[in-house]
Amino acid sequence: MTRPDLSSALPAATLGGPSPPALPADWSARLQAAGMALAEDERLLAWLAIDLDASLRFAPGMIIVTSERLLAISADDTQWQAWNYRPGLTLARRDHAGVGTLELCDASSLLGHWRYTLGSDVAAGRLVDHFARQLSFRLTGEIPAVSALALCPNCETPLLAGQEECPVCSKEIHEPPSTWTLLRLGRFARPYRGQLLAGFLLSLLTTAATLVAPYLTMPLMDNVLIPYQNGKAIDPGLVALYLSGLLGSSLVAWVLGWGRTYILALVSERIGADLRTTTYEHLLKLSQEYFGGKRTGDLMARIGSETDRINIFISLHLLDFATDVLMIVMTTAILVSIHPWLAAVTLLPLPIIAWLIHVVRERLRTGFERVDRVWAEVTNVLADTIPGIRVVKAFAQEQREAARFRAANAHNLDVNDRVNKVWSLFSPTVTLLTELGLLIVWAFGIWQIAKDKITVGVLTAFLAYISRFYLRLDSMSRIVSVTQKAAAGAKRIFDILDHVSSVPEPINPVHLPSVSGRIELRSVGFRYGTRSVTRDISIVIEPGEMVGLVGHSGSGKSTLVNLISRFYDVTEGAILIDGVDVRSIPVAEYRKNIGLVLQEPFLFFGTIAENIAYGRPTATRCEIIAAARAAHAHEFILRLPHGYDSLVGERGQALSGGERQRISIARALLIDPPILILDEATSSVDTTTEKEIQKALDNLVRGRTTIAIAHRLSTLRDANRLVVLDRGRIVEVGSHDELMAREGHYYRLYQAQARNVDTEDQLHTLRVDPKDEGDRE
């Protein structure tokens, strides 16, 4: 008997297309040869080509999901494995450090474990989704509901009912924002509680003043206009009294309203400024690990546009909300005092409007936070492209980047359209309910007048109050939108403020009056998540000693430098400076003793003098020039149009790579650090420029404890010791001559590089005329 399968029951779109995905011919043949071919009634749903084995070496493998079972084979397996659908079976997907993992488990054990590079992550997501839904269908007999979207527009991952955000495209788990998040802004409002109290009192008085005018319409109608229609003369004094009351209340309301708006606008701007400053200062204190997982454009959007949105909410909408609440409460009290039954009729639409606000608020709650994140995607494209415009133009990728921006913008438009669809229905509905409420009041009021229960003046006053009441009610309903926007913005701000740095400040700090530069690493180990990068590294570097770190790419050199700089904290062992654990020293105080020269020097937009003095802003011009001379940068600086006052451009684009590097060396020289770290400082320049930089480095390392990573091993010949790393461990330690004599790891590295360097030097000799050699690349 043919067993039913989900693939035939669900719409074709939910399975990635109108027809099942075709298995590559070579894998189909391997499946056939192993006797695991699909049965006639078995349908192929999805497959994933995996490319890593258990040791993370590149090796082919395959995972297949069918209507009956899951099939898999990896490079570590000798034959295909198969699991039929049964209760307790789960297929989980996760990723870490550029490697994706699929784990097949049952209630008691791990059945299968496969790894792949993240280029296949979208396909892995589809495979997991197909497996989960087919398993659900097999166990329950029910077809899982599918949303109207069916597929993610970016990666075509099937979406379940109500699932608007793709689990594959969204790498983070986003909790919906809560309106209560806005209460956390209280800590920023606390310094201005006096001004806020004054603003609230002014709001109260302003609202009271605006309610005077409708009340005066009752005697104006009953004592002046209606008697006049019945033949009684108008009393000018009485009319003047009532009109003076109307004018006076309007003027008082205007003055109080101006004062209220001005005070709260000033307060909101200061709260926003404090919020921006606090967020930025906290961001600067976070570790390198945090920035490694964030996009520049997203962080800029949070500190910029989100705080502006909160400002507007506090200065305008929060004020309106308070005014609306006061107006509704005070108007209700007046209406009840005038005529309780008429007041009860007036309040009939309130329960329906309250229910609508609750329903819409739930939809807008997540919608606006998603809008913010999607807008950050647009900002990310700009933050990527504008600084890298030279690369974009060099590779003629303008059309590609324009298409990327267009796609992000279209996604932003789509998400906004979904939110607006909800909001556009809600707002007119509230307006309709208020209009119906007004109509009911008219009908009930006329009936009461006909029975001589109320006067025309009472109904007129009622209608005047009701107009204001419903206007404020409509305004309150509209505030739902801006409140949810502000809540979404506040959540994204507090996501930063709540993040704790993985490099914390010490509780009981130890202060070092001076640092000699002795560095000791005791059994140091470090992990990125579950992946071990360095293990059991122990070494002592004496003051003034130069130590070179060498090894293949990925051996742990840069990680070790990051640990010594305390960009990350060790997960095992300890690093000591002059016998003191670096985790006991305040972070900023510790780093002031370290000079860092990077492979790709970063210069800020500004003058050359400002960049050299970045680590010591109080330096005099003479000290800046002395540092530039020692860095062999003085000559080329003087050749620039404005010398030391020349602008370097954003990220130093107005200068060559060698010139930027020498300015960074001058920057390190100026702070005169006892410890110096050179992270491949000459790897990105040509041979001639390298010689100039090497002269500058000779001045820089003199008398300092120096740790150097060099692209060209020949530049480390003068090091007192060389530490050879391999797979996160120290495998050799010694001088250049000692290590060459051993003919071990270092010897093989040096010989392999020497052959490449000889070839490069020959090519350089052929290409470069000696008279054309200069400072610029």
Side-chain angles (χ1 to χ4, degrees):
M1 178 179 177
T2 302
R3 298 175 63 186
D5 67 84
L6 181 62
S7 61
S8 59
L10 288 179
T14 66
L15 300 173
S19 59
L23 192 66
D26 56 337
W27 284 105
S28 182
R30 290 180 62 174
L31 202 63
Q32 187 81 23
M36 304 290 285
L38 273 59
E40 289 184 8
D41 59 347
E42 185 177 8
R43 186 173 178 184
L44 178 67
L45 300 181
W47 55 268
L48 172 68
I50 55 177
D51 50 8
L52 296 175
D53 64 9
S55 302
L56 298 183
R57 292 188 295 264
F58 283 99
M62 177 63 68
I63 304 174
I64 300 170
V65 171
T66 76
S67 57
E68 303 288 332
R69 54 187 171 159
L70 183 142
L71 296 157
I73 189 170
S74 69
D76 304 307
D77 300 325
T78 56
Q79 58 185 5
W80 286 87
Q81 295 175 288
W83 296 269
N84 292 327
Y85 296 113
R86 65 176 188 269
L89 207 61
T90 60
L91 182 63
R93 165 180 147 268
R94 58 185 175 85
D95 66 82
H96 175 72
V99 175
T101 302
L102 288 175
E103 292 181 348
L104 182 69
C105 303
D106 61 12
S108 59
S109 61
L110 176 67
L111 303 177
H113 182 269
W114 305 279
R115 288 177 171 172
Y116 57 90
T117 55
L118 288 185
S120 304
D121 201 41
V122 171
R126 284 199 292 267
L127 180 109
V128 170
D129 185 81
H130 279 288
F131 176 87
R133 290 191 291 139
Q134 183 68 21
L135 176 65
S136 173
F137 179 72
R138 287 292 182 190
L139 298 182
T140 66
E142 296 179 0
I143 303 173
V146 179
S147 70
L149 296 176
L151 298 176
C152 170
N154 296 327
C155 67
E156 296 186 349
T157 295
L159 302 175
L160 301 181
Q163 187 180 28
E164 296 181 356
E165 193 164 22
C166 175
V168 175
C169 297
S170 178
K171 295 297 183 184
E172 299 179 26
I173 298 175
H174 299 284
E175 296 180 1
S178 170
T179 310
W180 298 108
T181 306
L182 292 171
L183 296 179
R184 299 185 63 186
L185 295 171
R187 72 184 243 206
F188 296 96
R190 197 170 296 120
Y192 310 101
R193 52 185 176 271
Q195 294 95 316
L196 288 171
L197 179 61
F200 177 76
L201 292 175
L202 287 173
S203 296
L204 184 63
L205 294 173
T206 303
T207 304
T210 58
L211 292 174
V212 171
Y215 200 85
L216 290 176
T217 59
M218 279 194 299
L220 191 60
M221 292 289 295
D222 292 338
N223 300 335
V224 177
L225 297 179
I226 294 177
Y228 173 72
Q229 286 185 332
N230 294 329
K232 186 178 179 180
I234 293 178
D235 182 355
L238 192 60
V239 171
L241 178 63
Y242 291 145
L243 293 181
S244 297
L246 291 172
L247 177 62
S249 64
S250 299
L251 290 175
V252 170
W254 175 79
V255 172
L256 294 174
W258 172 81
R260 173 199 65 178
T261 305
Y262 181 71
I263 289 174
L264 291 179
L266 291 181
V267 170
S268 71
E269 287 298 332
R270 279 150 183 77
I271 291 175
D274 292 345
L275 187 61
R276 276 191 295 269
T277 301
T278 303
T279 306
Y280 182 65
E281 288 177 351
H282 184 77
L283 199 63
L284 293 178
K285 293 176 184 177
L286 295 179
S287 66
Q288 196 74 19
E289 181 182 11
Y290 177 82
F291 292 95
K294 298 296 179 183
R295 299 286 296 274
T296 303
D298 178 53
L299 296 176
M300 290 171 61
R302 295 192 194 197
I303 296 176
S305 60
E306 303 298 1
T307 51
D308 285 343
R309 179 178 291 171
I310 292 170
N311 272 3
I312 294 171
F313 172 74
I314 294 173
S315 62
L316 296 178
H317 303 297
L318 184 59
L319 175 63
D320 289 341
F321 180 76
T323 304
D324 293 340
V325 171
L326 289 172
M327 180 69 78
I328 289 172
V329 170
M330 296 171 74
T331 303
T332 303
I334 293 172
L335 291 176
V336 171
S337 68
I338 295 174
H339 197 282
W341 283 107
L342 201 54
V345 172
T346 303
L347 301 177
L348 278 178
L350 273 181
I352 303 175
I353 293 175
W355 176 78
L356 277 175
I357 290 174
H358 172 72
V359 171
V360 171
R361 179 178 155 277
E362 290 299 312
R363 298 297 302 271
L364 296 180
R365 202 159 67 95
T366 54
F368 285 121
E369 201 246 345
R370 192 175 299 124
V371 166
D372 290 340
R373 284 189 278 110
V374 172
W375 175 248
E377 292 177 13
V378 177
T379 312
N380 284 332
V381 176
L382 296 175
D384 288 344
T385 308
I386 294 175
I389 192 65
R390 187 177 180 184
V391 177
V392 173
K393 290 183 175 297
F395 288 91
Q397 292 299 306
E398 291 90 344
Q399 292 297 323
R400 176 186 174 189
E401 293 300 336
R404 187 169 157 230
F405 183 83
R406 197 179 301 112
N409 208 19
H411 190 198
N412 174 61
L413 187 63
D414 179 56
V415 173
N416 274 280
D417 283 347
R418 292 186 212 168
V419 176
N420 291 332
K421 189 181 296 181
V422 176
W423 181 247
S424 61
L425 179 63
F426 170 72
S427 185
T429 303
V430 172
T431 303
L432 175 64
L433 288 173
T434 57
E435 293 292 338
L436 290 175
L438 192 62
L439 183 62
I440 292 171
V441 171
W442 266 107
F444 187 77
I446 293 171
W447 180 63
Q448 291 286 293
I449 290 173
K451 297 183 69 173
D452 294 325
K453 295 291 183 69
I454 62 173
T455 64
V456 174
V458 170
L459 179 59
T460 304
F462 241 94
L463 292 172
Y465 277 119
I466 288 169
S467 297
R468 294 172 184 244
F469 179 86
Y470 282 150
L471 181 65
R472 291 300 179 179
L473 196 60
D474 187 55
S475 175
M476 274 190 70
S477 68
R478 295 175 190 277
I479 287 175
V480 173
S481 169
V482 295
T483 301
Q484 295 308 314
K485 287 182 180 179
K491 175 185 176 294
R492 284 164 55 76
I493 290 289
F494 284 111
D495 282 346
I496 296 176
L497 293 176
D498 292 342
H499 194 92
V500 179
S501 174
S502 59
V503 181
E505 293 285 352
I507 298 175
N508 300 308
V510 176
H511 302 282
L512 298 179
S514 61
V515 173
S516 65
R518 185 178 188 273
I519 304 173
E520 181 181 357
L521 280 71
R522 292 182 182 173
S523 304
V524 166
F526 180 71
R527 291 176 176 271
Y528 280 115
T530 58
R531 183 167 64 96
S532 179
V533 181
T534 60
R535 297 176 294 278
D536 196 28
I537 293 181
S538 298
I539 190 172
V540 176
I541 304 173
E542 298 297 338
E545 185 179 13
M546 181 177 180
V547 170
L549 301 180
V550 300
H552 291 290
S553 177
S555 60
K557 305 185 297 296
S558 294
T559 300
L560 205 57
V561 164
N562 287 333
L563 292 173
I564 294 172
S565 302
R566 215 186 164 205
F567 293 143
Y568 303 93
D569 269 344
V570 297
T571 51
E572 299 170 11
I575 298 176
L576 291 81
I577 300 294
D578 292 353
V580 178
D581 193 318
V582 297
R583 291 170 290 191
S584 302
I585 308 170
V587 177
E589 183 179 317
Y590 168 66
R591 288 183 185 149
K592 285 181 179 178
N593 295 290
I594 297 176
L596 186 62
V597 180
L598 301 172
Q599 177 182 357
E600 297 180 3
F602 187 95
L603 301 185
F604 295 93
F605 185 88
T607 66
I608 287 180
E610 289 169 346
N611 273 280
I612 293 176
Y614 184 76
R616 193 176 143 205
T618 58
T620 64
R621 182 55 64 98
C622 290
E623 290 171 328
I624 292 171
I625 293 174
R629 284 184 183 277
H632 289 257
H634 181 68
E635 290 76 13
F636 84 77
I637 293 174
L638 291 183
R639 290 198 296 269
L640 296 173
H642 302 289
Y644 284 85
D645 294 319
S646 299
L647 292 173
V648 300
E650 189 173 5
R651 303 193 182 192
Q653 290 184 3
L655 304 176
S656 71
E659 289 168 347
R660 290 197 298 269
Q661 191 63 280
R662 276 174 277 178
I663 288 177
S664 71
I665 292 171
R667 184 165 57 193
L669 274 166
L670 189 61
I671 64 173
D672 193 23
I675 300 170
L676 181 66
I677 295 177
L678 307 176
D679 190 356
E680 302 198 36
T682 62
S683 66
S684 59
V685 296
D686 57 68
T687 307
T688 304
T689 306
E690 181 189 5
K691 292 176 182 178
E692 290 293 321
I693 294 175
Q694 195 60 51
K695 293 176 185 177
L697 290 175
D698 291 341
N699 293 331
L700 182 59
V701 303
R702 194 173 295 127
R704 309 178 202 279
T705 303
T706 304
I707 301 171
I709 301 173
H711 177 68
R712 298 183 177 94
L713 298 179
S714 57
T715 61
L716 295 176
R717 285 186 176 181
D718 295 332
N720 302 101
R721 281 184 296 164
L722 297 175
V723 176
V724 185
L725 296 171
D726 184 54
R727 297 184 182 181
R729 294 180 182 272
I730 295 177
V731 292
E732 288 181 324
V733 179
S735 66
H736 170 76
D737 293 334
E738 291 171 351
L739 296 178
M740 289 296 288
R742 293 180 194 172
E743 297 189 359
H745 280 77
Y746 179 78
Y747 176 82
R748 290 190 293 273
L749 279 172
Y750 191 86
Q751 291 297 325
Q753 194 174 94
R755 287 191 291 271
N756 292 335
V757 170
D758 289 343
T759 304
E760 290 175 5
D761 287 342
Q762 291 171 9
L763 291 172
H764 182 73
T765 303
L766 292 173
R767 291 173 181 169
V768 180
D769 190 330
K771 68 182 180 182
D772 292 332
E773 291 183 355
D775 288 319
R776 293 184 178 273
E777 291 181 330

